[in-house]
Amino acid sequence: MKLINKVFTGLAMTAMAAGVAQASTLEDVKAAGELKCVVSTGVAGFAAPNADGVWEGFDVDFCRAVAAAVLHDANAVKFVPTTGKTRFTTLASGEGDILFRNTTETLSRDVDLKLTFLPVNYYDGQGFLVPASLGVTSAVELDGASVCIQTGTTTELNLADFFRTNNISYEPVAIETNEEGLTNYVAGRCDVYTTDVSGLAATRSKLDNPADHVVLPDVISKEPLGGAVRHGDDQWADIGKWVVNALIAAEEMGVNSKNVKNLASSAEGKLPAINRLTGAEGEMGAMLGLSSDWAVQAISAVGNYGEIFERNIGVNTPVGLSRGVNAQWKDGGILYAAPIR
Amino acid sequence: MSQEYAPGTHPSLPPPRGTTGPIHWLKENLFSSPTNTIVTLVIIYLFAQILPPMVDWFFSDATFVGENRKACTTDGACWAFVGDRFNLFIYGFYPAEERWRVNLTGILLVIALAAVLWDRMPARKQMFIYALAFPFIATWLLTGGAGLEPVGTDKFGGLTLTLVVGITGIVISLPLGVLLALGRQSSLPIIKYFSIGFIEFIRGVPLITLLFVASTMLSYFLPPGSSFDLLLRVLIMVTLFASAYMAEVIRGGLQALPKGQLEAAESLGLNYAQAMRFIILPQALKISIPGIVNTFIGLYKDTTLVIIIGLLDPLGIGRASVAHPDWLGLSSEVYMFVAVFFFISCFSMSRYSLYLENKLHTGHNR
């Protein structure tokens, strides 16, 4: 036993030493020449490979924006596909540098799992998808229903809370991925499929006859989805945070992928806020440890927040989500980027 | 009128009517009793119910060409999706302009396999040397370096990944398993207890856990700054896992041999290595063929677990692909395609093992 104890203590100390001795993530990324970005194994509109094996999606574009800001190359990203269960371990072990995997920010993940969350890039909420034939109009009528639910997610906990508060019972059917959820739901192995409303909209559009299925009006949780990095490297967290802020602020100021190069070319006669964003004024890039055109790089690579949204999950895509609360605060949404100054 | 035959020259008469031919076969096998007749009719009815819709879904109503899901307007399968993603299924994320290297490796692999598996291969001795060199050639071709554009192993995926993991695991786990099996029976305590410990540890832990450790825990244990290739870690874990099972299968074969075989070998003056090489292992391995192939097939199918560590095999590619907005919700097609792919691979393996068993059949079978 003593020997075993010694071995384990040794391993643990090595592990701690490994954690401490690591260089900063920024340096690691620059040295590697690529950003290791943790994404999902496939969520419609958020992350999926196209026919040529190039990853596309809302989350993917945020990875590319960070890579563009840091490495000046939106394609210098190594995507690390993860399931709901493996995503945090992958990030924590250093197999990923940053995570954009429609992940809800919660206290326990922030504190206990030692993540630092980046600003929210999509405000979501948990809803229910049911067949119209069930004749249910509200989630409180779902007593005794079997519910397909992704394991290892906040939706699992929300569901338990919701049914407990309403004093009704349910039978969970555990699934691993969105695809599996859809398959089980279509096959009738569960009466209800629950996940974030964005996911439900996409799921519904996949069904053979979307009109036969309804998304119930009840939204039972707040799901602020955002990127995350490991605790302990504030500089890296700052970079992630301000890249997201820059993309949101760019939309607010009318800066997009087409005009950003022009706007950046000279400081003359532009709004000071735009000049600070493009690096024509101030030392924002240097403060972050990046070049002064970091935001220009990011925006010209993937566009501003609005462009990313419309290209991947907007109303003109098969996913078909409207902006809703994810509109700019000026347009009645709750997107409100902190000022870049 | 009767024809005369010399004694012993009468040709055989045809069998009585009704004891040969398709009608007799049907009578004998399908309608031999009232119960069997009922069962036969019920099964025919079920087939009649199931087959036409299946054929419709697979072929008649299926869509074979198209750019995105909108092209699939019929009720049948949307094979256009598989067609569109075919390269992804085969090569994964391997760069398009370097895919000829995967193709070349594939061709070389077929030749190497033929040299090992087919005993009438011309110039087999020389081919055998080539087969031994093949792993190194393949590594060079696939990962690059020394004149070729380097390709990171994180770009591997799809069929390429399955074959790399599956074949490496199969090829290395067999000799490793033999050594472990012999080690477990060794009279040298260190070797014996190491083998037992290794086998029991690996068998006591699910593969998925080992893969997880390989992908996320190793970086805690290794000295800081050192990272070694993810695919290599997977290969090591899969191989170790399969070799532990292999060792037990072969130990079964070894125990089936009477002790007299070893004693006879020793009395002929053969040393341990010779006895194993010429007497014990040829017999033990022959007995173990079904179990060995079983382990191989299991290993091959377990390669789908690499999704846990962020590598996409055909199944992972398929799942990721159906999440692309162009092809939402076509999971049935993906699962069908992947199922057919795995069935073909595994069925070939099991047929080959049957062929091998027949070839090595020396009369001990009952």
Side-chain angles (χ1 to χ4, degrees):
Chain A
M1 279 327 270
K2 266 187 185 162
L3 179 71
I4 290 176
N5 272 334
K6 269 188 189 159
V7 170
F8 272 106
T9 323
L11 286 178
M13 303 231 324
T14 327
M16 269 150 61
V20 175
Q22 258 164 10
S24 83
T25 314
L26 178 61
E27 282 167 29
D28 287 349
V29 170
K30 278 185 172 165
E34 64 176 5
L35 175 78
K36 286 178 292 196
C37 193
V38 179
V39 293
S40 75
T41 50
V43 171
F46 285 85
N50 70 9
D52 302 320
V54 179
W55 285 85
E56 292 176 349
F58 185 80
D59 283 341
V60 167
D61 279 347
F62 279 88
C63 296
R64 292 195 188 283
V66 174
V70 175
L71 301 165
H72 296 188
D73 181 2
N75 294 319
V77 189
K78 177 181 158 185
F79 292 99
V80 185
T82 56
T83 64
K85 274 186 200 157
T86 58
R87 54 184 159 182
F88 300 125
T89 346
T90 307
L91 180 66
S93 69
E95 293 297 322
D97 300 314
I98 195 165
L99 173 144
F100 284 103
R101 196 205 172 279
N102 33 13
T103 295
T104 308
E105 175 174 358
T106 65
L107 184 139
S108 58
R109 283 175 179 176
D110 191 341
V111 179
D112 203 26
L113 291 179
K114 303 204 177 350
L115 300 177
T116 300
F117 277 93
L118 309 180
V120 175
N121 60 10
Y122 190 90
Y123 288 95
D124 216 333
Q126 185 177 347
F128 297 94
L129 180 70
V130 296
S133 57
L134 215 57
V136 174
T137 53
S138 156
V140 289
E141 298 167 29
L142 290 173
D143 195 11
S146 56
V147 184
C148 276
I149 176 97
Q150 254 177 294
T151 52
T153 60
T154 45
T155 51
E156 200 178 12
L157 310 172
N158 297 332
L159 184 75
D161 285 353
F162 176 79
F163 275 79
R164 201 174 51 207
T165 12
N166 287 294
N167 248 335
I168 48 181
S169 69
Y170 71 103
E171 206 177 297
V173 179
I175 53 157
E176 195 71 34
T177 63
N178 223 3
E179 267 320 305
E180 213 181 311
L182 178 68
T183 320
N184 277 295
Y185 175 74
V186 169
R189 279 190 285 275
C190 48
D191 309 321
V192 185
Y193 181 40
T194 181
T195 187
D196 294 347
V197 175
S198 65
L200 286 185
T203 305
R204 184 163 169 263
S205 72
K206 293 180 190 180
L207 295 166
D208 287 334
N209 219 339
D212 289 349
H213 304 268
V214 287
V215 176
L216 295 179
D218 314 62
V219 174
I220 63 167
S221 72
K222 290 191 288 188
E223 305 282 347
L225 308 183
V229 295
R230 287 181 293 274
H231 260 190
D233 188 346
D234 290 345
Q235 184 199 18
W236 182 242
D238 286 343
I239 291 172
K241 172 177 178 182
W242 288 101
V243 168
V244 176
N245 272 333
L247 295 176
I248 298 175
E251 189 192 15
E252 187 184 333
M253 293 188 266
V255 179
N256 58 38
S257 57
K258 289 178 196 74
N259 65 15
V260 65
K261 283 264 158 69
N262 246 337
L263 290 169
S265 57
S266 83
E268 290 296 303
K270 315 269 164 52
L271 287 173
I274 293 184
N275 283 335
R276 281 192 291 271
L277 179 70
T278 59
E281 237 179 82
E283 294 288 316
M284 305 304 157
M287 287 182 211
L288 286 169
L290 302 174
S291 62
S292 63
D293 65 343
W294 61 282
V296 178
Q297 292 284 352
I299 297 165
S300 57
V302 296
N304 64 31
Y305 182 89
E307 289 176 277
I308 297 175
F309 193 101
E310 292 308 329
R311 184 170 60 239
N312 294 304
I313 52 177
V315 281
N316 295 322
T317 66
V319 182
L321 295 171
S322 57
R323 285 293 287 268
V325 291
N326 291 295
Q328 294 285 339
W329 62 283
K330 285 177 173 171
D331 306 329
I334 51 176
L335 280 190
Y336 186 94
I340 295 175
R341 69 177 307 145
Chain B
M1 281 284 287
S2 67
Q3 201 177 340
E4 302 270 327
Y5 291 100
T9 60
H10 196 289
S12 305
L13 289 174
R17 287 171 60 123
T19 58
T20 55
I23 306 258
H24 171 74
W25 186 90
L26 285 178
K27 257 192 204 161
E28 188 85 334
N29 291 292
L30 299 180
F31 302 100
S32 58
S33 70
T35 330
N36 282 358
T37 309
I38 292 171
V39 170
T40 303
L41 290 177
V42 167
I43 289 175
I44 289 176
Y45 172 76
L46 287 180
F47 267 116
Q49 292 293 303
I50 294 167
L51 274 185
M54 257 176 87
V55 171
D56 283 350
W57 190 83
F58 273 95
F59 305 108
S60 326
D61 287 348
T63 312
F64 291 93
V65 279
E67 284 287 294
N68 56 37
R69 201 190 173 192
K70 292 199 185 79
C72 297
T73 44
T74 50
D75 292 338
C78 188
W79 298 122
F81 163 63
V82 175
D84 185 54
R85 296 297 167 123
F86 198 68
N87 280 336
L88 206 54
F89 274 114
I90 303 287
Y91 304 105
F93 300 101
Y94 213 83
E97 61 275 17
E98 303 291 334
R99 283 180 187 158
W100 62 269
R101 282 154 56 177
V102 181
N103 295 337
L104 181 60
T105 315
I107 296 169
L108 293 179
L109 169 72
V110 172
I111 302 175
L113 281 182
V116 177
L117 301 181
W118 187 42
D119 58 354
R120 269 168 299 184
M121 182 86 183
R124 196 159 183 234
K125 274 231 168 92
Q126 289 85 329
M127 292 308 284
F128 226 88
I129 298 169
Y130 157 72
L132 286 179
F134 172 76
F136 301 98
I137 302 173
T139 313
W140 172 62
L141 271 176
L142 290 178
T143 57
L148 288 175
E149 183 77 12
V151 176
T153 50
D154 58 295
K155 299 269 187 260
F156 287 30
L159 176 62
T160 316
L161 179 69
T162 301
L163 288 181
V164 168
V165 177
I167 294 183
T168 314
I170 286 174
V171 169
I172 304 182
S173 68
L174 183 58
L176 223 53
V178 171
L179 289 183
L180 282 169
L182 293 178
R184 193 169 184 165
Q185 297 198 323
S186 168
S187 51
L188 306 171
I190 292 186
I191 295 182
K192 180 174 180 180
Y193 289 110
F194 169 79
S195 302
I196 293 180
F198 177 85
I199 292 170
E200 294 305 334
F201 171 72
I202 297 275
R203 287 206 307 171
V205 180
L207 177 58
I208 210 160
T209 318
L210 290 177
L211 288 176
F212 210 74
V213 167
S215 79
T216 59
M217 302 295 289
L218 270 188
S219 52
Y220 286 117
F221 300 152
L222 293 172
S226 71
S227 80
F228 80 103
D229 195 88
L230 190 59
L231 183 61
L232 189 62
R233 297 185 221 166
V234 173
L235 288 179
I236 294 175
M237 283 303 179
V238 168
T239 308
L240 292 184
F241 186 78
S243 62
Y245 280 84
M246 192 62 71
E248 288 299 278
V249 168
I250 293 170
R251 189 167 66 98
L254 289 172
Q255 285 181 346
L257 289 186
K259 199 157 192 288
Q261 295 282 333
L262 183 60
E263 287 167 354
E266 282 171 344
S267 71
L268 283 173
L270 300 182
N271 64 23
Y272 179 78
Q274 287 169 328
M276 288 301 146
R277 161 103 177 69
F278 297 115
I279 310 288
I280 305 297
L281 282 180
Q283 300 185 68
L285 288 180
K286 194 188 76 189
I287 302 173
S288 319
I289 287 175
I292 291 175
V293 174
N294 222 3
T295 314
F296 283 169
I297 290 178
L299 182 160
Y300 189 77
K301 289 194 285 193
D302 279 346
T303 55
T304 51
L305 293 177
V306 294
I307 191 151
I308 285 295
I309 55 170
L311 293 173
L312 298 182
D313 75 308
L315 187 61
I317 292 273
R319 280 184 180 165
S321 294
V322 288
H324 194 273
D326 281 352
W327 299 104
L328 287 178
L330 297 169
S331 22
S332 321
E333 283 84 347
V334 166
Y335 289 128
M336 275 299 162
F337 177 73
V338 176
V340 169
F341 161 70
F342 273 102
F343 179 77
I344 292 175
S345 324
C346 296
F347 190 65
S348 327
M349 279 194 251
S350 88
R351 295 315 292 183
Y352 180 75
S353 90
L354 277 184
Y355 155 79
L356 204 60
E357 274 174 62
N358 284 333
K359 200 181 77 174
L360 300 178
H361 175 78
T362 46
H364 295 298
N365 291 18
R366 261 171 291 193

